[in-house]
Amino acid sequence: MTAVPSADYGVRPTETGARSTANPAGRLSDPLLGVFSGPAFPLAALALPLVVYLPHFYAAHLGLSLTAVGAIFSIIRLIDIGFDPILGGLMDRSRSPIGRFKPWMLASIPILMIAAYLCFMPPAGAKAPYLIISLLVLYAGYSMAVLGHLAWGSVLAGQYHERSRIYGWVQAGTVGGMILVLVLPIVLARIAPANEAVGVASMGWFVIVLTPITIGLAVWKVREPRATASAATSAGLGQYLKVIQRPAVMRIVACTVLVATAPGITGAIFLFFWRQARGFSPADSNLVLLVYFVGGLAGAPVWSGLARRIGKHRAMIASCGYFIVMQSCTLLVPKGDMSVAVPVMFLSGIAFSAYLILLRAMTADACDEARLDQGSDCTGMIYALHNAGTKVGSALGVAITFPLLAVFGFLASDKAHNTPAALHGLELTFVVLPIVCVVLGALSLVGYRLTEARHGEIRTALAARAEA
Protein backbone atom coordinates (compact mmCIF):
# COMPACT_ATOMS: atom_id res chain seq x y z
CA MET A 1 0.00 0.00 0.00
CA THR A 2 1.32 3.41 -0.95
CA ALA A 3 1.19 6.67 0.93
CA VAL A 4 -1.38 9.24 -0.14
CA PRO A 5 -1.98 12.87 0.82
CA SER A 6 -3.96 13.11 4.02
CA ALA A 7 -7.03 15.08 4.96
CA ASP A 8 -9.05 15.24 8.12
CA TYR A 9 -12.08 13.03 8.44
CA GLY A 10 -15.40 13.52 10.12
CA VAL A 11 -14.94 17.17 11.04
CA ARG A 12 -15.97 19.22 8.04
CA PRO A 13 -15.29 16.98 5.06
CA THR A 14 -16.35 19.46 2.39
CA GLU A 15 -13.85 22.07 3.66
CA THR A 16 -10.85 19.87 4.39
CA GLY A 17 -10.61 18.29 0.97
CA ALA A 18 -11.50 14.78 2.06
CA ARG A 19 -13.22 12.72 -0.57
CA SER A 20 -16.23 12.02 1.58
CA THR A 21 -19.76 10.87 0.92
CA ALA A 22 -20.98 13.02 3.78
CA ASN A 23 -22.78 16.27 3.05
CA PRO A 24 -21.79 19.57 4.70
CA ALA A 25 -23.98 18.78 7.68
CA GLY A 26 -22.23 15.43 8.09
CA ARG A 27 -25.38 13.46 7.27
CA LEU A 28 -25.15 10.62 4.77
CA SER A 29 -28.07 9.83 2.49
CA ASP A 30 -30.20 6.78 3.21
CA PRO A 31 -29.31 5.07 -0.13
CA LEU A 32 -25.59 5.42 0.63
CA LEU A 33 -26.05 4.05 4.12
CA GLY A 34 -28.01 1.17 2.64
CA VAL A 35 -25.08 0.33 0.37
CA PHE A 36 -22.58 0.78 3.20
CA SER A 37 -24.53 -1.58 5.45
CA GLY A 38 -24.67 -4.24 2.70
CA PRO A 39 -21.64 -6.27 3.92
CA ALA A 40 -23.45 -6.75 7.23
CA PHE A 41 -25.83 -9.19 5.46
CA PRO A 42 -23.30 -11.96 4.68
CA LEU A 43 -21.23 -11.25 7.80
CA ALA A 44 -24.30 -11.71 10.00
CA ALA A 45 -25.33 -14.76 8.00
CA LEU A 46 -21.92 -16.16 8.87
CA ALA A 47 -21.82 -15.10 12.53
CA LEU A 48 -25.25 -16.42 13.53
CA PRO A 49 -24.66 -20.05 12.50
CA LEU A 50 -21.26 -19.96 14.20
CA VAL A 51 -23.05 -19.43 17.50
CA VAL A 52 -26.38 -21.19 17.00
CA TYR A 53 -26.22 -23.82 14.26
CA LEU A 54 -22.67 -25.04 13.73
CA PRO A 55 -21.95 -26.13 17.35
CA HIS A 56 -25.28 -27.99 17.37
CA PHE A 57 -24.62 -29.43 13.88
CA TYR A 58 -21.15 -30.75 14.67
CA ALA A 59 -22.33 -32.20 18.01
CA ALA A 60 -25.72 -33.66 17.06
CA HIS A 61 -25.21 -34.46 13.36
CA LEU A 62 -21.50 -35.28 12.98
CA GLY A 63 -21.19 -36.92 16.39
CA LEU A 64 -18.52 -34.84 18.12
CA SER A 65 -18.94 -34.68 21.89
CA LEU A 66 -20.40 -31.61 23.57
CA THR A 67 -17.18 -31.08 25.51
CA ALA A 68 -15.05 -31.33 22.35
CA VAL A 69 -17.27 -28.95 20.37
CA GLY A 70 -17.39 -26.45 23.22
CA ALA A 71 -13.62 -26.59 23.65
CA ILE A 72 -12.86 -26.22 19.92
CA PHE A 73 -15.18 -23.28 19.33
CA SER A 74 -13.98 -21.55 22.50
CA ILE A 75 -10.26 -22.05 21.91
CA ILE A 76 -10.44 -21.00 18.26
CA ARG A 77 -12.46 -17.96 19.26
CA LEU A 78 -9.80 -17.03 21.81
CA ILE A 79 -7.07 -17.49 19.19
CA ASP A 80 -9.13 -15.31 16.88
CA ILE A 81 -9.10 -12.55 19.48
CA GLY A 82 -5.37 -12.26 18.88
CA PHE A 83 -6.05 -11.38 15.21
CA ASP A 84 -7.79 -8.12 16.12
CA PRO A 85 -4.93 -6.27 17.87
CA ILE A 86 -2.60 -7.12 14.99
CA LEU A 87 -5.12 -6.10 12.36
CA GLY A 88 -6.07 -2.92 14.22
CA GLY A 89 -2.49 -1.65 14.27
CA LEU A 90 -1.95 -2.58 10.62
CA MET A 91 -5.14 -0.82 9.56
CA ASP A 92 -4.16 2.39 11.35
CA ARG A 93 -0.92 2.41 9.35
CA SER A 94 -2.45 1.44 6.02
CA ARG A 95 -2.54 4.10 3.33
CA SER A 96 -3.87 3.47 -0.16
CA PRO A 97 -5.67 5.47 -2.86
CA ILE A 98 -8.98 4.03 -1.64
CA GLY A 99 -8.38 4.40 2.09
CA ARG A 100 -7.19 2.53 5.14
CA PHE A 101 -9.99 0.06 5.68
CA LYS A 102 -11.33 -0.78 2.22
CA PRO A 103 -8.30 -2.86 1.12
CA TRP A 104 -8.71 -5.13 4.13
CA MET A 105 -12.36 -5.73 3.34
CA LEU A 106 -11.50 -6.59 -0.26
CA ALA A 107 -8.79 -8.99 0.90
CA SER A 108 -11.28 -10.77 3.17
CA ILE A 109 -13.57 -11.79 0.29
CA PRO A 110 -11.74 -14.92 -1.00
CA ILE A 111 -10.86 -16.02 2.54
CA LEU A 112 -14.50 -15.87 3.66
CA MET A 113 -15.75 -17.70 0.57
CA ILE A 114 -13.31 -20.59 1.00
CA ALA A 115 -13.88 -20.81 4.75
CA ALA A 116 -17.67 -20.81 4.37
CA TYR A 117 -17.45 -23.78 2.03
CA LEU A 118 -15.20 -25.69 4.42
CA CYS A 119 -17.23 -25.01 7.59
CA PHE A 120 -20.77 -25.33 6.25
CA MET A 121 -20.22 -28.26 3.89
CA PRO A 122 -17.95 -30.66 5.80
CA PRO A 123 -17.36 -34.15 4.41
CA ALA A 124 -19.06 -37.09 6.10
CA GLY A 125 -17.15 -38.17 9.17
CA ALA A 126 -15.32 -34.87 9.62
CA LYS A 127 -13.46 -34.87 12.91
CA ALA A 128 -11.99 -32.31 15.29
CA PRO A 129 -8.84 -31.45 13.21
CA TYR A 130 -11.01 -30.56 10.20
CA LEU A 131 -13.19 -28.29 12.32
CA ILE A 132 -10.17 -26.59 13.89
CA ILE A 133 -8.50 -25.74 10.57
CA SER A 134 -11.76 -24.57 8.96
CA LEU A 135 -12.61 -22.29 11.86
CA LEU A 136 -9.13 -20.74 11.90
CA VAL A 137 -9.44 -19.77 8.23
CA LEU A 138 -12.98 -18.49 8.71
CA TYR A 139 -12.19 -16.32 11.71
CA ALA A 140 -9.17 -14.77 10.00
CA GLY A 141 -11.33 -13.54 7.11
CA TYR A 142 -14.21 -12.60 9.39
CA SER A 143 -11.95 -10.44 11.60
CA MET A 144 -10.59 -8.57 8.59
CA ALA A 145 -14.06 -7.83 7.23
CA VAL A 146 -15.82 -6.92 10.48
CA LEU A 147 -13.03 -4.78 11.92
CA GLY A 148 -12.56 -2.98 8.61
CA HIS A 149 -16.29 -2.34 8.28
CA LEU A 150 -16.77 -1.03 11.82
CA ALA A 151 -13.70 1.22 11.73
CA TRP A 152 -14.70 2.55 8.32
CA GLY A 153 -18.15 3.43 9.69
CA SER A 154 -16.60 5.44 12.51
CA VAL A 155 -14.95 7.91 10.09
CA LEU A 156 -17.98 8.47 7.85
CA ALA A 157 -19.37 11.14 10.19
CA GLY A 158 -18.25 12.96 13.32
CA GLN A 159 -21.55 14.02 14.84
CA TYR A 160 -22.65 12.33 18.08
CA HIS A 161 -26.10 11.24 16.92
CA GLU A 162 -25.17 10.61 13.29
CA ARG A 163 -22.97 7.75 14.42
CA SER A 164 -25.92 6.07 16.11
CA ARG A 165 -27.74 6.41 12.79
CA ILE A 166 -24.85 4.86 10.84
CA TYR A 167 -24.54 1.87 13.13
CA GLY A 168 -28.33 1.62 13.23
CA TRP A 169 -28.22 1.00 9.49
CA VAL A 170 -25.41 -1.51 9.93
CA GLN A 171 -27.44 -3.27 12.61
CA ALA A 172 -30.47 -3.34 10.31
CA GLY A 173 -28.28 -5.06 7.73
CA THR A 174 -27.01 -7.44 10.39
CA VAL A 175 -30.48 -8.46 11.50
CA GLY A 176 -31.65 -8.60 7.89
CA GLY A 177 -28.86 -11.06 7.10
CA MET A 178 -29.77 -13.15 10.11
CA ILE A 179 -33.42 -13.21 9.10
CA LEU A 180 -32.62 -14.25 5.53
CA VAL A 181 -30.25 -17.01 6.60
CA LEU A 182 -32.84 -18.27 9.10
CA VAL A 183 -35.52 -18.47 6.41
CA LEU A 184 -33.40 -20.93 4.42
CA PRO A 185 -33.57 -23.91 6.83
CA ILE A 186 -37.26 -23.22 7.51
CA VAL A 187 -38.06 -23.40 3.80
CA LEU A 188 -35.76 -26.33 3.17
CA ALA A 189 -37.24 -28.22 6.14
CA ARG A 190 -40.47 -28.37 4.14
CA ILE A 191 -38.62 -29.73 1.12
CA ALA A 192 -36.13 -32.04 2.81
CA PRO A 193 -37.49 -32.89 6.28
CA ALA A 194 -35.02 -33.99 8.97
CA ASN A 195 -32.02 -33.12 6.77
CA GLU A 196 -30.08 -30.61 8.84
CA ALA A 197 -27.05 -30.87 6.57
CA VAL A 198 -28.98 -29.34 3.66
CA GLY A 199 -30.06 -26.38 5.79
CA VAL A 200 -26.53 -25.74 7.04
CA ALA A 201 -25.10 -25.99 3.51
CA SER A 202 -27.64 -23.44 2.28
CA MET A 203 -26.33 -20.97 4.86
CA GLY A 204 -22.83 -21.47 3.51
CA TRP A 205 -23.89 -20.80 -0.07
CA PHE A 206 -25.73 -17.68 1.08
CA VAL A 207 -22.47 -16.31 2.47
CA ILE A 208 -20.43 -17.37 -0.57
CA VAL A 209 -22.74 -15.61 -3.03
CA LEU A 210 -23.42 -12.38 -1.10
CA THR A 211 -19.94 -11.64 0.25
CA PRO A 212 -18.27 -10.45 -2.98
CA ILE A 213 -21.41 -8.62 -4.15
CA THR A 214 -22.04 -6.57 -1.00
CA ILE A 215 -18.43 -5.77 -0.12
CA GLY A 216 -17.60 -4.92 -3.71
CA LEU A 217 -20.60 -2.60 -4.03
CA ALA A 218 -19.81 -0.80 -0.75
CA VAL A 219 -16.16 -0.28 -1.68
CA TRP A 220 -17.20 1.01 -5.10
CA LYS A 221 -19.97 3.40 -4.08
CA VAL A 222 -19.06 4.69 -0.59
CA ARG A 223 -15.90 6.73 -0.26
CA GLU A 224 -13.64 6.61 2.77
CA PRO A 225 -12.43 9.97 4.11
CA ARG A 226 -8.67 10.17 4.38
CA ALA A 227 -6.93 10.32 7.75
CA THR A 228 -5.12 13.47 8.88
CA ALA A 229 -3.64 12.34 12.18
CA SER A 230 -0.75 9.91 11.95
CA ALA A 231 -1.11 6.48 13.47
CA ALA A 232 0.28 5.71 16.89
CA THR A 233 4.03 5.16 16.89
CA SER A 234 3.52 1.48 17.65
CA ALA A 235 0.77 -1.06 17.94
CA GLY A 236 2.44 -3.26 20.51
CA LEU A 237 1.25 -4.35 23.92
CA GLY A 238 2.36 -1.10 25.52
CA GLN A 239 0.30 1.04 23.16
CA TYR A 240 -2.76 -1.17 23.64
CA LEU A 241 -2.38 -0.92 27.40
CA LYS A 242 -2.18 2.86 27.06
CA VAL A 243 -5.37 2.92 24.99
CA ILE A 244 -7.40 0.55 27.14
CA GLN A 245 -6.51 2.51 30.29
CA ARG A 246 -8.54 5.41 28.97
CA PRO A 247 -11.73 5.52 31.11
CA ALA A 248 -14.18 5.58 28.22
CA VAL A 249 -12.44 2.75 26.36
CA MET A 250 -12.13 0.66 29.50
CA ARG A 251 -15.84 0.97 30.31
CA ILE A 252 -16.89 0.26 26.71
CA VAL A 253 -14.72 -2.86 26.47
CA ALA A 254 -15.88 -4.15 29.88
CA CYS A 255 -19.53 -3.63 28.95
CA THR A 256 -18.95 -5.24 25.54
CA VAL A 257 -17.47 -8.40 27.06
CA LEU A 258 -20.23 -8.77 29.63
CA VAL A 259 -23.16 -7.93 27.38
CA ALA A 260 -21.83 -10.04 24.49
CA THR A 261 -21.51 -13.04 26.80
CA ALA A 262 -25.30 -13.07 27.28
CA PRO A 263 -26.23 -13.78 23.62
CA GLY A 264 -23.17 -16.05 23.48
CA ILE A 265 -24.80 -18.19 26.16
CA THR A 266 -28.35 -18.10 24.80
CA GLY A 267 -27.21 -18.55 21.21
CA ALA A 268 -25.06 -21.60 21.97
CA ILE A 269 -27.95 -23.47 23.60
CA PHE A 270 -30.92 -21.81 21.88
CA LEU A 271 -31.92 -24.90 19.88
CA PHE A 272 -31.36 -27.19 22.86
CA PHE A 273 -33.61 -25.01 25.03
CA TRP A 274 -36.51 -24.74 22.60
CA ARG A 275 -36.37 -28.32 21.34
CA GLN A 276 -35.66 -30.27 24.51
CA ALA A 277 -36.84 -28.00 27.34
CA ARG A 278 -39.83 -26.50 25.52
CA GLY A 279 -40.73 -29.39 23.21
CA PHE A 280 -40.76 -27.46 19.92
CA SER A 281 -40.05 -29.17 16.60
CA PRO A 282 -36.87 -28.23 14.70
CA ALA A 283 -38.94 -26.19 12.22
CA ASP A 284 -40.81 -24.36 14.98
CA SER A 285 -37.55 -23.71 16.86
CA ASN A 286 -36.12 -22.10 13.74
CA LEU A 287 -39.29 -20.04 13.39
CA VAL A 288 -39.01 -18.83 17.00
CA LEU A 289 -35.42 -17.76 16.32
CA LEU A 290 -36.57 -15.95 13.18
CA VAL A 291 -39.22 -14.07 15.18
CA TYR A 292 -36.54 -13.09 17.69
CA PHE A 293 -34.44 -11.41 15.00
CA VAL A 294 -37.47 -9.74 13.46
CA GLY A 295 -37.86 -8.16 16.89
CA GLY A 296 -34.20 -7.15 16.66
CA LEU A 297 -34.89 -5.41 13.37
CA ALA A 298 -37.82 -3.55 14.94
CA GLY A 299 -35.65 -2.60 17.90
CA ALA A 300 -32.94 -0.81 15.89
CA PRO A 301 -34.80 2.52 15.56
CA VAL A 302 -36.06 2.21 19.15
CA TRP A 303 -32.59 2.33 20.69
CA SER A 304 -31.28 4.93 18.23
CA GLY A 305 -34.25 7.15 19.09
CA LEU A 306 -33.82 6.62 22.82
CA ALA A 307 -30.11 7.47 22.55
CA ARG A 308 -31.04 10.75 20.88
CA ARG A 309 -33.26 11.58 23.85
CA ILE A 310 -31.20 10.47 26.83
CA GLY A 311 -27.71 9.76 25.49
CA LYS A 312 -26.07 6.55 24.30
CA HIS A 313 -24.80 5.17 27.59
CA ARG A 314 -28.11 5.76 29.38
CA ALA A 315 -29.96 4.09 26.53
CA MET A 316 -27.57 1.16 26.84
CA ILE A 317 -28.30 0.83 30.56
CA ALA A 318 -32.04 0.99 29.84
CA SER A 319 -31.70 -1.80 27.27
CA CYS A 320 -30.03 -3.99 29.89
CA GLY A 321 -33.02 -3.56 32.21
CA TYR A 322 -35.38 -4.42 29.36
CA PHE A 323 -33.35 -7.55 28.53
CA ILE A 324 -33.57 -8.79 32.12
CA VAL A 325 -37.38 -8.54 32.13
CA MET A 326 -37.85 -10.26 28.77
CA GLN A 327 -35.29 -12.99 29.38
CA SER A 328 -37.15 -13.93 32.55
CA CYS A 329 -40.37 -14.19 30.56
CA THR A 330 -39.01 -17.05 28.43
CA LEU A 331 -39.54 -19.37 31.41
CA LEU A 332 -43.26 -18.60 31.24
CA VAL A 333 -43.66 -20.04 27.72
CA PRO A 334 -45.67 -23.29 27.93
CA LYS A 335 -44.26 -26.32 26.17
CA GLY A 336 -45.04 -26.37 22.46
CA ASP A 337 -47.22 -23.24 22.62
CA MET A 338 -46.33 -21.04 19.64
CA SER A 339 -49.08 -18.55 20.48
CA VAL A 340 -47.08 -17.49 23.57
CA ALA A 341 -43.60 -18.13 22.24
CA VAL A 342 -43.97 -15.83 19.22
CA PRO A 343 -44.87 -12.57 21.06
CA VAL A 344 -42.41 -13.27 23.89
CA MET A 345 -39.55 -13.85 21.47
CA PHE A 346 -40.45 -10.84 19.33
CA LEU A 347 -40.38 -8.57 22.39
CA SER A 348 -37.19 -10.22 23.62
CA GLY A 349 -35.54 -9.60 20.25
CA ILE A 350 -36.00 -5.84 20.56
CA ALA A 351 -33.16 -5.82 23.11
CA PHE A 352 -30.80 -7.60 20.70
CA SER A 353 -30.02 -4.50 18.61
CA ALA A 354 -29.10 -2.24 21.50
CA TYR A 355 -25.52 -3.12 22.28
CA LEU A 356 -24.54 -3.58 18.64
CA ILE A 357 -25.70 -0.05 17.81
CA LEU A 358 -24.92 1.89 20.97
CA LEU A 359 -21.56 0.43 21.98
CA ARG A 360 -20.23 0.74 18.43
CA ALA A 361 -21.29 4.39 18.28
CA MET A 362 -19.80 5.01 21.73
CA THR A 363 -16.54 3.47 20.51
CA ALA A 364 -16.40 6.00 17.65
CA ASP A 365 -16.72 8.82 20.19
CA ALA A 366 -13.92 7.30 22.26
CA CYS A 367 -11.72 7.28 19.13
CA ASP A 368 -12.23 11.04 18.78
CA GLU A 369 -11.33 11.62 22.43
CA ALA A 370 -8.17 9.55 22.11
CA ARG A 371 -7.18 11.36 18.90
CA LEU A 372 -7.54 14.74 20.61
CA ASP A 373 -5.64 13.77 23.75
CA GLN A 374 -2.86 11.72 22.15
CA GLY A 375 -2.50 13.52 18.83
CA SER A 376 -2.47 10.20 16.97
CA ASP A 377 -5.13 8.12 15.27
CA CYS A 378 -5.89 4.85 17.07
CA THR A 379 -9.24 4.10 15.42
CA GLY A 380 -8.22 0.64 14.27
CA MET A 381 -6.71 -0.22 17.64
CA ILE A 382 -9.74 0.92 19.64
CA TYR A 383 -12.17 -0.92 17.40
CA ALA A 384 -9.89 -3.95 17.65
CA LEU A 385 -10.36 -3.85 21.42
CA HIS A 386 -14.13 -3.48 21.02
CA ASN A 387 -14.28 -6.31 18.49
CA ALA A 388 -12.08 -8.48 20.68
CA GLY A 389 -14.44 -7.84 23.59
CA THR A 390 -17.34 -9.11 21.52
CA LYS A 391 -15.38 -12.24 20.64
CA VAL A 392 -14.39 -12.85 24.26
CA GLY A 393 -18.06 -12.73 25.19
CA SER A 394 -19.02 -15.19 22.46
CA ALA A 395 -16.19 -17.51 23.42
CA LEU A 396 -17.16 -17.40 27.08
CA GLY A 397 -20.75 -18.21 26.12
CA VAL A 398 -19.75 -21.53 24.56
CA ALA A 399 -16.98 -22.23 27.07
CA ILE A 400 -19.37 -21.85 30.01
CA THR A 401 -22.53 -23.44 28.72
CA PHE A 402 -21.44 -26.70 27.08
CA PRO A 403 -19.31 -28.00 30.00
CA LEU A 404 -22.03 -26.86 32.42
CA LEU A 405 -24.67 -28.81 30.51
CA ALA A 406 -22.41 -31.85 30.64
CA VAL A 407 -22.24 -31.47 34.44
CA PHE A 408 -26.05 -31.41 34.56
CA GLY A 409 -26.05 -34.65 32.55
CA PHE A 410 -27.67 -33.10 29.50
CA LEU A 411 -27.48 -35.09 26.25
CA ALA A 412 -27.16 -33.21 22.94
CA SER A 413 -28.92 -35.55 20.55
CA ASP A 414 -32.52 -34.65 19.66
CA LYS A 415 -33.39 -38.34 20.13
CA ALA A 416 -31.87 -38.55 23.61
CA HIS A 417 -34.03 -38.81 26.71
CA ASN A 418 -32.94 -36.15 29.20
CA THR A 419 -33.87 -36.33 32.86
CA PRO A 420 -35.96 -33.56 34.48
CA ALA A 421 -32.87 -32.47 36.40
CA ALA A 422 -30.88 -32.11 33.18
CA LEU A 423 -33.66 -30.07 31.56
CA HIS A 424 -33.95 -27.88 34.64
CA GLY A 425 -30.21 -27.23 34.47
CA LEU A 426 -30.62 -26.28 30.81
CA GLU A 427 -33.37 -23.77 31.71
CA LEU A 428 -31.33 -22.16 34.47
CA THR A 429 -28.29 -21.88 32.21
CA PHE A 430 -30.38 -20.28 29.44
CA VAL A 431 -32.06 -17.69 31.68
CA VAL A 432 -30.03 -16.94 34.81
CA LEU A 433 -26.46 -16.73 33.48
CA PRO A 434 -27.26 -14.16 30.75
CA ILE A 435 -29.11 -11.99 33.27
CA VAL A 436 -26.09 -11.94 35.60
CA CYS A 437 -23.83 -10.88 32.72
CA VAL A 438 -26.15 -8.08 31.61
CA VAL A 439 -26.52 -6.71 35.16
CA LEU A 440 -22.73 -6.45 35.44
CA GLY A 441 -22.58 -4.86 31.99
CA ALA A 442 -25.04 -2.15 32.99
CA LEU A 443 -23.08 -1.43 36.17
CA SER A 444 -19.90 -0.92 34.15
CA LEU A 445 -21.46 2.14 32.47
CA VAL A 446 -22.58 3.89 35.67
CA GLY A 447 -20.66 7.17 35.81
CA TYR A 448 -19.73 7.18 32.09
CA ARG A 449 -18.62 10.73 31.21
CA LEU A 450 -18.25 10.86 27.41
CA THR A 451 -21.67 12.46 26.94
CA GLU A 452 -23.06 14.39 23.97
CA ALA A 453 -21.91 17.70 25.50
CA ARG A 454 -18.38 16.43 26.11
CA HIS A 455 -18.18 14.97 22.61
CA GLY A 456 -19.27 18.33 21.16
CA GLU A 457 -16.32 19.97 22.90
CA ILE A 458 -13.99 17.31 21.49
CA ARG A 459 -15.24 17.82 17.91
CA THR A 460 -14.85 21.58 18.26
CA ALA A 461 -11.25 21.16 19.42
CA LEU A 462 -10.51 18.77 16.55
CA ALA A 463 -11.99 21.26 14.08
CA ALA A 464 -9.81 24.03 15.51
CA ARG A 465 -6.75 21.83 15.19
CA ALA A 466 -7.64 21.09 11.56
CA GLU A 467 -7.98 24.82 10.83
CA ALA A 468 -4.56 25.47 12.36
Side-chain angles (χ1 to χ4, degrees):
M1 298 179 185
T2 58
V4 296
S6 60
D8 195 32
Y9 59 77
V11 182
R12 288 187 298 175
T14 57
E15 297 180 16
T16 61
R19 297 176 60 210
S20 172
T21 46
N23 62 24
R27 182 178 177 86
L28 280 75
S29 68
D30 288 344
L32 272 177
L33 280 181
V35 172
F36 175 76
S37 65
F41 278 81
L43 293 175
L46 183 62
L48 175 65
L50 279 173
V51 177
V52 178
Y53 283 97
L54 286 185
H56 180 274
F57 176 70
Y58 277 87
H61 185 78
L62 293 182
L64 276 69
S65 70
L66 276 175
T67 302
V69 171
I72 290 172
F73 273 84
S74 300
I75 292 172
I76 298 300
R77 194 68 169 176
L78 291 173
I79 293 174
D80 170 49
I81 293 168
F83 294 156
D84 289 321
I86 298 172
L87 289 172
L90 291 174
M91 287 181 183
D92 282 336
R93 286 164 178 71
S94 298
R95 296 293 186 270
S96 81
I98 61 173
R100 285 180 291 169
F101 307 118
K102 285 183 177 182
W104 294 93
M105 295 192 67
L106 290 173
S108 72
I109 293 174
I111 300 174
L112 288 173
M113 295 173 71
I114 294 170
Y117 183 85
L118 293 175
C119 286
F120 289 82
M121 288 158 264
K127 300 300 182 183
Y130 179 92
L131 177 59
I132 292 171
I133 295 173
S134 300
L135 286 176
L136 282 172
V137 176
L138 185 146
Y139 277 123
Y142 182 78
S143 295
M144 292 169 62
V146 171
L147 184 54
H149 197 216
L150 294 180
W152 180 12
S154 73
V155 303
L156 287 180
Q159 291 71 24
Y160 181 82
H161 292 302
E162 180 67 7
R163 285 170 167 171
S164 298
R165 178 170 170 261
I166 290 171
Y167 288 112
W169 272 87
V170 173
Q171 178 59 12
T174 298
V175 177
M178 291 178 173
I179 291 173
L180 289 175
V181 81
L182 283 172
V183 168
L184 292 174
I186 294 174
V187 173
L188 291 174
R190 310 296 180 185
I191 302 173
N195 193 341
E196 187 175 6
V198 174
V200 171
S202 70
M203 298 176 186
W205 283 114
F206 183 90
V207 173
I208 291 170
V209 172
L210 279 189
T211 296
I213 295 173
T214 56
I215 293 180
L217 190 61
V219 169
W220 177 36
K221 288 293 186 181
V222 185
R223 292 173 179 173
E224 179 188 325
R226 299 170 186 170
T228 288
S230 61
T233 55
S234 68
L237 179 60
Q239 183 64 26
Y240 271 102
L241 288 175
K242 180 180 179 182
V243 170
I244 201 170
Q245 286 174 2
R246 302 186 60 81
V249 176
M250 184 182 299
R251 287 175 179 271
I252 290 170
V253 172
C255 185
T256 299
V257 172
L258 291 163
V259 176
T261 302
I265 293 170
T266 57
I269 59 176
F270 187 93
L271 297 180
F272 293 137
F273 176 82
W274 289 100
R275 293 182 187 182
Q276 275 92 327
R278 285 296 173 265
F280 285 80
S281 67
D284 286 343
S285 298
N286 291 336
L287 182 59
V288 168
L289 186 59
L290 175 61
V291 169
Y292 176 82
F293 287 116
V294 170
L297 186 61
V302 172
W303 303 117
S304 295
L306 185 62
R308 187 174 291 276
R309 290 177 176 272
I310 65 175
K312 297 170 191 173
H313 74 283
R314 295 188 185 92
M316 186 65 221
I317 294 172
S319 74
C320 291
Y322 179 81
F323 173 89
I324 293 168
V325 173
M326 294 312 305
Q327 187 69 8
S328 303
C329 289
T330 57
L331 286 176
L332 303 178
V333 178
K335 290 189 176 181
D337 193 339
M338 287 291 287
S339 65
V340 178
V342 167
V344 167
M345 291 310 294
F346 176 83
L347 294 174
S348 297
I350 291 175
F352 173 74
S353 297
Y355 88 96
L356 293 171
I357 295 172
L358 300 175
L359 289 177
R360 288 172 176 177
M362 290 165 64
T363 301
D365 299 338
C367 292
D368 285 343
E369 185 182 48
R371 182 155 59 99
L372 178 64
D373 292 345
Q374 298 176 190
S376 59
D377 193 334
C378 301
T379 299
M381 295 176 65
I382 294 175
Y383 269 95
L385 291 170
H386 167 72
N387 208 35
T390 302
K391 292 177 180 180
V392 169
S394 297
L396 287 175
V398 178
I400 293 171
T401 53
F402 279 29
L404 188 58
L405 292 184
V407 170
F408 287 131
F410 180 80
L411 302 175
S413 174
D414 290 338
K415 299 179 180 179
H417 177 71
N418 281 291
T419 64
L423 294 177
H424 183 60
L426 172 64
E427 292 174 337
L428 290 178
T429 303
F430 186 82
V431 175
V432 177
L433 282 182
I435 288 177
V436 172
C437 294
V438 167
V439 168
L440 295 175
L443 291 175
S444 70
L445 292 181
V446 175
Y448 185 81
R449 295 183 179 180
L450 188 46
T451 61
E452 179 181 3
R454 172 57 185 154
H455 184 256
E457 296 171 357
I458 291 169
R459 295 303 304 181
T460 299
L462 288 172
R465 178 184 294 176
E467 290 288 343

